[in-house]
C-alpha cells in the first residue's frame, strides 16, 4: 500500500466529497442544519485534506512509506470516529464525548506524522 498511498488518498478523498455533498444536499432539503459541523469537518478533513495529502505524496514520492500508511489510518479512523461521535453528541447523546476526544487525538497524531513527512520531503 505504501507505493500507492498517493492514489489511495486521492481516491478516498473523492468518496468523502461525494458523501459529504449528499449530506449537504440532505441538510438543505430537510431544513435541519443540526449536523452542520459533521458536514463541514467531513468535507474539510476528508475531501480537502485527503486530496492535499494525495497530491503531496505524488509530488514527494520519497516520503511514501510506512509512515505515510500510518498517517493514512490515523487520519481516516480519526475522522470516522470523530464524525460518528459528534453526530451522536448533536443528536442528544452527550455520552459519545470520549469518542470525539479519541477521534480528535487520532487526527492530531495523523497530522503530526504528516508534518514529519512534509519536513522530511522538503529538506532540500
Ligand atoms: C452541493 C453541495 C453542498 C451543499 C448542498 C451544502 C450545504 C450546506 C449547508 C446547508 C450548510 C449549513 C449552513 C448553515 O447552517 O449555516 C453547510 C455548511 C458548510 N459547508 Fe456545505 N454544502 C455543500 C458542499 C460543501 C463542500 C464541497 C464543502 C467543503 C469543501 C462544504 C463545506 C461547508 C462548511 C465548512 C460549512 C460550515 C460553514 C459555516 O461555518 O457556517 N460544503 N453546507
Ligand atoms: C481534530 C480536529 C478538529 C477538531 C476537534 C475541530 C473542532 C471544531 C469545533 C469544536 C468547532 C466549533 C463547532 C461549533 O461551534 O459548532 C469547529 C469549527 C470549525 N472548524 Fe474545526 N476542528 C478540527 C479540525 C478542523 C480542520 C482541519 C479544519 C479545516 C481544514 C476545520 C475547520 C472548521 C470550520 C470551517 C469551522 C466552522 C464551521 C463549524 O462550526 O463546523 N476544523 N471545529
Amino acid at each position: 500500500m505504501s507505493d500507492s498511498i498517493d492514489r489511495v488518498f486521492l481516491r478516498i478523498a473523492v468518496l468523502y466529497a461525494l458523501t459529504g455533498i449528499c449530506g449537504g444536499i440532505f441538510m438543505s432539503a430537510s431544513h435541519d442544519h443540526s449536523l452542520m459541523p459533521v458536514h463541514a469537518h467531513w468535507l474539510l478533513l476528508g475531501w480537502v485534506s485527503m486530496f492535499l495529502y494525495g497530491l503531496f505524496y505524488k509530488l514527494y514520492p520519497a516520503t511514501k512509506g510506512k509512515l505515510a500508511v500510518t498517517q493514512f489510518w490515523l487520519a481516516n479512523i480519526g475522522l470516522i470516529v470523530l464524525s460518528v461521535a459528534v453526530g451522536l453528541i448533536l443528536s442528544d447523546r452527550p455520552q459519545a464525548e470520549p469518542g470525539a476526544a479519541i477521534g480528535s487525538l487520532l487526527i492530531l497524531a495523523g497530522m503530526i506524522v504528516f508534518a514529519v513527512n512534509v519536513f522530511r520531503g522538503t529538506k532540500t
Side-chain angles (χ1 to χ4, degrees), residues 36-38 40-41 44-45 48-49 82 100 103-105 107-108 111:
M36 182 266 270
V38 178
H41 290 83
L44 292 173
L45 284 158
V48 181
S49 304
L82 178 69
S104 305
L105 292 173
I107 289 169
L108 175 62
M111 190 52 83

Side-chain angles (χ1 to χ4, degrees), residues 17-30 32 39:
L18 289 170
T19 48
I21 288 170
C22 288
I25 293 171
F26 184 76
M27 209 164 46
S28 308
S30 64
D32 177 2
H39 164 80

Side-chain angles (χ1 to χ4, degrees), residues 60-98:
Y60 295 94
T63 58
K64 288 200 239 177
K66 280 194 191 132
L67 221 50
V69 176
T70 306
Q71 185 226 330
F72 175 85
W73 289 116
L74 288 169
N76 281 278
I77 295 170
L79 177 54
I80 289 162
V81 171
L82 178 69
S83 300
V84 171
V86 172
L88 288 170
I89 294 166
L90 295 174
S91 314
D92 292 325
R93 290 181 186 83
Q95 60 273 30
E97 235 173 68

Side-chain angles (χ1 to χ4, degrees), residues 36-65:
M36 182 266 270
V38 178
H39 164 80
H41 290 83
W42 186 264
L43 279 157
L44 292 173
L45 284 158
W47 158 229
V48 181
S49 304
M50 306 272 174
F51 205 82
L52 290 174
Y53 300 148
L55 292 180
F56 172 81
Y57 288 114
K58 183 78 190 158
L59 276 175
Y60 295 94
T63 58
K64 288 200 239 177

